[in-house]
C-alpha cells in the first residue's frame, strides 16, 4: 500500500519557520535535478516495485498516488518525484507499444524506428515539456490562494502530474487499441461499430488524462479553484457525440498520421 500522511507546511522548517542555509542549499532546484539525474544512471537506486504499484493505482485509485506526494513533501521537502523509476518504466511502455503500432500498421524496421523517435522525442518529451510548462505558469499565476515566494508549484511536480496522466492514456491508445485495429473490432474503418469503439477508447483515455491532472493539482493545499481543470470534460463530451454523429474516426486519423510521419 502506498504510504499516506497529512501535509504540514512547517513540518520541514525550523523554529523560525524557515530552512537553514545548509538545508536550503540541499533543496534548491539545481540540487534536486542533479540528484534525480544521478539516480537515472544507477538502476540499483531505483524502486521499480513501487513505480509499478503507482502505475496500477493510476488506473484503480489515482488519489492514493497523490497521497504519496504529500508524504514525500513532508519527509523530503519536495512535491516532485526524486526517483526516476516511473519515468524509466513509462519509457519502456512507450517503446514497446510504438513497436506494436509499427507491426500492426505493417511498417518496416526503418519506418518503425522513425516512428519511435517521433513518438519519444516529440509526442512524449516535447509535448510533455510544453504542457508541464504551461500548467506550471498557469497554476502559479492564477490558481494560488495566497501568492508567496514560500509556496509555489514546482516545475518537476507539474511534469510528474503530466506523466501520471499520460500513462493511462498511453496504455489505452497505444496498447489496448492495438488489439482492435485489425482484429476483434476493426476500428480503423468507416463502419459505425468501428469508430464507436475507437472513439470510446479515445474518450476514456483523454478522460483519464483530464481527471488525473485535476487530482494532481487539487492535491496541493495552496491552490484554489482547481475545479476549472474539469471544465474540458464538457468539450470532450461534445466532441465525442459529434464524432459519432458525423462519422469521425480518430483512430483512423491516428493511423494515417503515423504512416505519413515515416514516409
Amino acid at each position: 500500500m502506498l504510504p499516506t500522511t497529512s501535509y504540514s507546511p512547517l513540518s520541514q522548517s525550523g523554529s523560525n519557520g524557515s530552512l537553514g542555509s545548509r538545508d536550503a542549499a540541499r533543496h534548491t532546484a539545481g540540487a534536486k535535478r542533479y540528484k534525480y539525474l544521478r539516480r537515472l544512471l544507477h538502476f540499483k537506486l531505483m524502486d521499480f516495485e513501487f513505480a509499478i504499484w503507482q502505475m496500477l493505482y493510476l488506473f484503480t485509485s489515482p488519489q492514493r498516488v497523490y497521497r504519496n506526494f504529500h508524504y514525500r513533501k513532508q519527509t523530503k521537502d519536495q512535491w516532485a518525484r526524486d526517483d526516476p523509476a516511473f519515468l524509466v518504466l513509462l519509457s519502456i511502455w512507450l517503446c514497446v507499444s510504438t513497436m506494436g503500432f509499427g507491426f500492426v500498421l505493417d511498417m518496416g524496421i526503418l519506418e518503425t524506428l522513425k516512428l519511435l523517435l517521433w513518438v519519444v522525442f516529440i509526442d512524449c518529451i516535447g509535448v510533455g515539456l510544453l504542457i508541464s510548462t504551461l500548467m506550471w505558469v498557469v497554476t502559479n499565476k492564477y490558481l494560488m490562494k495566497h501568492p508567496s515566494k514560500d509556496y509555489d508549484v514546482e516545475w518537476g511536480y507539474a511534469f510528474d502530474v503530466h506523466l501520471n496522466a499520460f500513462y493511462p492514456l498511453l496504455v489505452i491508445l497505444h496498447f489496448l487499441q492495438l488489439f482492435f485495429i485489425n482484429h476483434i473490432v476493426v476500428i480503423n474503418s468507416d463502419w459505425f461499430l468501428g469508430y464507436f469503439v475507437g472513439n470510446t477508447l479515445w474518450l476514456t483515455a483523454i478522460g483519464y488524462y483530464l481527471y488525473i491532472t485535476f487530482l494532481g493539482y487539487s492535491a496541493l493545499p495552496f491552490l484554489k479553484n482547481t475545479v476549472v481543470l474539469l471544465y474540458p470534460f464538457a468539450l470532450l463530451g461534445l466532441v465525442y457525440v459529434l464524432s459519432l454523429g458525423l462519422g469521425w474516426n480518430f483512430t483512423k486519423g491516428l493511423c494515417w498520421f503515423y504512416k505519413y510521419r515515416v514516409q
Side-chain angles (χ1 to χ4, degrees):
M1 179 179 293
L2 297 178
T4 61
T5 187
S6 59
Y7 168 64
S8 175
L10 299 179
S11 61
Q12 295 298 315
S13 302
S15 59
N16 61 354
S18 62
L19 290 169
S21 59
R22 185 174 181 180
D23 288 337
R26 184 163 54 91
H27 291 96
T28 60
K32 294 175 183 178
R33 183 166 55 248
Y34 171 76
K35 181 180 178 181
Y36 187 89
L37 294 175
R38 184 166 61 90
R39 294 187 70 173
L40 189 60
L41 301 177
H42 297 83
F43 283 85
K44 292 183 179 180
L45 299 178
M46 300 184 202
D47 191 348
F48 288 105
E49 181 180 356
F50 183 65
I52 292 173
W53 275 110
Q54 285 186 315
M55 288 180 165
L56 293 175
Y57 276 128
L58 284 172
F59 275 101
T60 60
S61 182
Q63 296 92 334
R64 292 191 179 187
V65 176
Y66 288 115
R67 290 192 197 119
N68 176 256
F69 281 76
H70 278 269
Y71 176 78
R72 185 182 300 108
K73 176 61 178 177
Q74 186 179 35
T75 58
K76 300 182 180 180
D77 194 43
Q78 71 178 65
W79 290 98
R81 289 186 177 96
D82 61 343
D83 185 350
F86 187 92
L87 178 62
V88 172
L89 292 180
L90 180 66
S91 301
I92 294 174
W93 261 104
L94 188 63
C95 292
V96 172
S97 62
T98 301
M99 289 188 289
F101 248 104
F103 174 77
V104 169
L105 298 180
D106 295 322
M107 294 182 180
I109 296 178
L110 183 59
E111 291 176 323
T112 302
L113 179 60
K114 288 181 180 179
L115 178 63
L116 179 62
L117 295 176
W118 269 101
V119 170
V120 171
F121 291 102
I122 303 299
D123 298 347
C124 182
I125 298 178
V127 175
L129 293 176
L130 180 62
I131 293 177
S132 302
T133 302
L134 177 63
M135 294 301 298
W136 174 65
V137 172
V138 169
T139 52
N140 280 309
K141 189 171 183 179
Y142 299 107
L143 299 183
M144 296 290 291
K145 289 181 179 178
H146 306 288
S148 169
K149 65 179 180 179
D150 296 325
Y151 302 104
D152 66 341
V153 178
E154 303 168 6
W155 186 91
Y157 181 79
F159 187 65
D160 278 336
V161 171
H162 167 72
L163 293 181
N164 290 342
F166 181 72
Y167 173 69
L169 183 146
L170 171 68
V171 172
I172 294 171
L173 296 184
H174 251 235
F175 179 69
L176 293 180
Q177 190 170 225
L178 293 178
F179 298 98
F180 293 88
I181 291 180
N182 293 326
H183 299 288
I184 303 174
V185 177
V186 184
I187 59 179
N188 186 21
S189 65
D190 293 323
W191 63 313
F192 177 78
L193 184 59
Y195 59 76
F196 170 75
V197 173
N199 291 1
T200 300
L201 289 175
W202 280 81
L203 173 71
T204 305
I206 298 175
Y208 257 113
Y209 186 92
L210 294 176
Y211 180 61
I212 292 177
T213 298
F214 160 73
L215 290 178
Y217 291 104
S218 64
L220 299 179
F222 47 82
L223 293 185
K224 63 179 181 179
N225 300 328
T226 52
V227 70
V228 300
L229 300 176
L230 293 176
Y231 290 174
F233 267 104
L235 179 61
L236 178 63
L238 177 62
V239 172
Y240 174 71
V241 173
L242 286 176
S243 70
L244 297 182
L246 299 176
W248 298 341
N249 190 326
F250 299 134
T251 301
K252 185 176 182 179
L254 178 67
C255 293
W256 174 86
F257 181 61
Y258 275 0
K259 289 181 177 180
Y260 175 79
R261 270 182 161 181
V262 299
Q263 288 180 354

